[in-house]
């Protein structure tokens, strides 16, 4: 089966500019909603009085939706079509955003988790539709470059959202942390929690309004539909998606990647708060800035200067080195931090936190490289392969939770970063051998 973009206007072929533009807007929304969690985790940890393990259920509730809902959403896409499916996904996200209002008013952690799961459900259908779109809308050898463009937009939102969160929610609370809240009397503490929690209401009202506007944009746009046309190839003789090692191993590689990506983006604020770093809620922006640099490398260098396979291999090696640095470097600001931040006017942060931020640069090209390598040669199983790869996003639910458990058990957030080393080693295996396998 090949995937083509069907033209419905006067028989003329469509340019890829329009779909890339609309999908780019959706990728910005992916980034905005996803990377808001990095600021939300330390905030909810304080107002709901949680430990690290409990706080990281934020990532579990959000990302487990991809595992639970990926296959059901793929069936919905087959019935509604990709364009209507995207509008439906955005509508589900509107509901999830509105659920934050009662959650914030009650400061109930379970209500927050339900709202996050609904948001993740809406994103599942959007991701399932949009990623194959980007892969197949142009030459396969430059697919990683196109996905890198989407990644730039996605992570650009990730740079903006922690800064917006700090400005809208934490304005005037520069010294806000667990210790200052614990020092208050019970009545003062409850009043402070109620006041802080209510600050979440308006940002999510604005988000719901923006998503509702996008529902109309997608629904009434001239975005072309994806059309699946079967052709007889040797691949059609296979009876199951599980008979394609490159996509099964690719899903595991994405499981590992998304896990370390979320750990790098969503735990850096917790790590910074534990070390007493000022404005810890904005630290996710540091990781996202480095991811933007990584995607710029992908846009400019793939496939002109390096192949998708080479980009994946270099990412795995660099990520492993960053894990060693994050787990062993100083928790004070010394030479590394001074070199990275001291000459730029950016506030200096501890060396170990700097290595966590650098993970963003290291693994930025994993997602763009794995998708075209994993989908190659699937024929009529392309849609199922896409759903399987999307299920790999569940790494963002499970691995950060395991990270939180390690941090709580060993009483060390820094030690818990070792969980990322086997993840990068598996990605290295996929880059060297896994993506080439065509039979078990």
């Amino acid at each position: 089966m090949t995937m083509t973009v069907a033209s419905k206007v006067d028989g003329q072929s469509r340019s890829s500019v329009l779909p890339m533009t609309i999908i780019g807007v959706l990728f910005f929304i992916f980034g905005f909603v996803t990377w808001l969690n990095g600021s939300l985790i330390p905030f909810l940890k304080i107002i709901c009085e949680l430990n690290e393990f409990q706080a990281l259920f934020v990532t579990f509730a959000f990302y487990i939706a991809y595992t639970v809902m990926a296959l059901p959403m793929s069936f919905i896409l087959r019935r509604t079509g990709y364009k209507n499916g995207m509008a439906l996904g955005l509508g589900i996200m509107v509901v999830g955003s509105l659920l934050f209002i009662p959650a914030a008013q009650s400061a109930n952690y379970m209500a927050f988790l339900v709202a996050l799961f609904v948001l993740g459900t809406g994103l599942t259908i959007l991701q399932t539709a949009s990623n194959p779109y980007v892969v197949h809308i142009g030459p396969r050898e430059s697919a990683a470059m196109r996905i890198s463009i989407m990644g730039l937009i996605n992570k650009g939102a990730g740079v903006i959202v922690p800064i917006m969160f700090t400005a809208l929610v934490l304005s005037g609370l520069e010294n806000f942390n667990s210790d200052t809240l614990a020092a208050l009397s019970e009545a003062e503490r409850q009043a402070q929690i109620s006041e802080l929690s209510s600050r979440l209401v308006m940002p999510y009202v604005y988000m719901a309004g923006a998503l509702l506007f996008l529902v109309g944009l997608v629904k009434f746009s001239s975005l072309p539909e994806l059309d699946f046309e079967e052709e007889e190839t040797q691949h059609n003789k296979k009876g199951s998606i599980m008979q394609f090692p490159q996509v099964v191993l690719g899903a595991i590689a994405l499981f590992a990647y998304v896990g370390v990506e979320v750990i790098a983006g969503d735990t850096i604020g917790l790590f910074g708060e534990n070390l007493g770093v000022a404005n810890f809620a904005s630290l996710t922006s540091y990781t996202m800035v480095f991811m933007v640099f990584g995607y710029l490398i992908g846009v400019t260098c793939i496939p002109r200067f390096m192949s998708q396979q080479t980009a994946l291999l270099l990412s795995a090696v660099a990520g492993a080195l960053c894990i060693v640095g994050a787990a062993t470097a100083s928790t004070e600001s010394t030479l590394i931090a001074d070199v990275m931040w001291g000459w730029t006017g950016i506030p200096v942060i501890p060396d170990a936190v700097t290595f966590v931020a650098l993970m963003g640069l290291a693994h930025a090209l994993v997602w763009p490289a794995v998708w075209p390598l994993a989908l190659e040669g699937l024929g009529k199983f392309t849609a199922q392969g896409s759903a399987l790869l999307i299920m790999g996003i569940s790494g963002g639910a499970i691995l950060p939770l395991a990270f939180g458990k390690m941090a709580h058990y060993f009483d060390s957030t820094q030690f818990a970063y070792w969980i990322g080393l086997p993840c990068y080693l598996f990605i290295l295996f996929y880059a060297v051998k896994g993506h080439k396998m065509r039979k078990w």
Side-chain angles (χ1 to χ4, degrees):
M1 180 175 79
T2 59
M3 190 178 296
T4 61
V5 179
S7 176
K8 296 183 180 180
V9 179
D10 299 328
Q12 298 178 346
S13 62
R14 293 181 183 271
S15 166
S16 64
V17 174
L18 174 64
M20 284 287 284
T21 301
I22 295 176
I23 298 301
V25 173
L26 296 183
F27 267 80
F28 182 86
I29 295 301
F30 299 165
F32 194 93
V33 175
T34 300
W35 299 112
L36 182 58
N37 292 340
S39 298
L40 196 61
I41 287 170
F43 183 80
L44 293 183
K45 175 178 178 285
I46 294 171
I47 67 170
C48 297
E49 301 176 272
L50 311 169
N51 60 39
E52 283 83 356
F53 176 67
Q54 293 168 330
L56 285 167
F57 268 96
V58 164
T59 61
F60 181 83
F62 186 80
Y63 287 100
I64 202 63
Y66 287 97
T67 299
V68 175
M69 303 305 294
L71 287 178
M73 290 300 156
S74 68
F75 296 142
I76 289 175
L77 281 176
R78 289 167 61 183
R79 295 182 64 88
T80 65
Y82 276 53
K83 179 177 173 180
N84 290 333
M86 290 178 188
L88 176 62
L90 289 165
I92 294 172
M93 292 175 67
V94 170
V95 175
S97 298
L98 294 176
L99 287 175
F100 268 86
I101 297 174
Q105 290 173 338
S106 63
N108 185 289
Y109 190 45
M110 185 57 66
F112 281 116
L113 297 182
V114 170
L116 286 162
F117 182 86
V118 175
L119 277 175
T121 298
L123 277 175
T124 300
I125 193 168
L126 291 176
Q127 291 268 28
T128 303
S130 61
N131 283 285
Y133 222 121
V134 179
V135 169
H136 289 274
I137 206 167
R140 183 176 294 275
E141 62 270 15
S142 61
M145 180 270 290
R146 292 192 298 278
I147 298 177
S148 293
I149 293 174
M150 296 298 104
L152 276 173
I153 298 169
N154 181 281
K155 270 58 186 186
V159 173
I160 296 170
V161 67
I163 298 172
M164 289 183 59
F165 184 89
T166 300
L168 294 174
V169 178
L170 298 181
S171 178
L173 298 171
E174 288 76 12
N175 297 319
F176 169 61
N177 56 48
S178 300
D179 293 336
T180 57
L181 196 63
L184 300 175
S185 67
E186 180 62 23
E188 291 174 328
R189 186 164 56 85
Q190 291 302 324
Q192 184 73 66
I193 288 173
S194 178
E195 194 274 330
L196 291 172
S197 183
S198 66
R199 292 191 178 199
L200 287 175
V201 172
M202 289 313 298
Y204 279 95
V205 170
Y206 297 147
M207 183 186 295
L211 290 169
L212 191 60
F213 170 78
L214 289 174
V215 171
L217 176 66
V218 171
K219 178 70 175 177
F220 300 107
S221 73
S222 56
L223 184 70
E225 185 60 83
L226 288 180
D227 182 33
F228 294 90
E229 300 174 351
E230 292 194 12
E231 64 177 9
E232 292 301 321
T233 69
Q234 58 177 333
H235 303 298
N236 289 357
K237 298 176 183 178
K238 294 187 177 183
S240 168
I241 189 63
M242 304 306 292
Q243 293 179 275
F244 293 87
Q246 76 271 28
V247 73
V248 175
L249 296 175
I252 298 173
L254 288 184
F255 178 93
Y257 156 69
V258 176
V260 292
E261 180 191 43
V262 174
I263 286 171
D266 285 1
T267 70
I268 190 171
L270 282 175
F271 194 21
E273 198 247 338
N274 290 341
L275 297 179
V277 177
N279 293 321
F280 56 84
S282 66
L283 288 178
T284 297
S285 291
Y286 288 59
T287 305
M288 294 300 103
V289 166
F290 280 117
M291 289 200 76
V292 168
F293 289 153
Y295 280 118
L296 284 172
I297 293 173
V299 171
T300 56
C301 296
I302 299 174
R304 184 176 181 184
F305 298 112
M306 63 178 172
S307 67
Q308 295 165 153
Q309 298 94 313
T310 300
L312 189 60
L313 188 150
L314 293 175
S315 293
V317 172
L321 293 175
C322 285
I323 287 292
V324 174
T328 62
S330 171
T331 54
E332 302 292 332
S333 299
T334 58
L335 180 61
I336 296 175
D338 290 340
V339 170
M340 291 298 301
W341 317 108
W343 301 340
T344 62
I346 298 173
V348 175
I349 58 177
D351 290 347
V353 178
T354 297
F355 276 111
V356 177
L358 283 169
M359 287 169 63
L361 174 62
H363 61 226
L365 296 183
V366 175
W367 180 275
V370 167
W371 271 88
L373 294 175
L375 292 181
E376 185 176 356
L378 293 191
K380 67 178 181 180
F381 293 100
T382 298
Q384 292 180 44
S386 175
L388 190 63
L389 292 175
I390 288 296
M391 291 177 72
I393 295 176
S394 61
I398 296 170
L399 292 180
L401 205 59
F403 175 96
K405 192 66 174 178
M406 284 182 64
H408 183 63
Y409 181 80
F410 291 102
D411 195 25
S412 171
T413 302
Q414 185 176 16
F415 181 83
Y417 283 106
W418 282 116
I419 197 173
L421 187 59
C423 296
Y424 284 117
L425 292 179
F426 185 87
I427 294 169
L428 180 62
F429 160 76
Y430 188 76
V432 173
K433 182 179 180 180
H435 78 277
K436 301 176 183 178
M437 295 174 61
R438 292 299 181 266
K439 61 181 180 179
W440 296 107

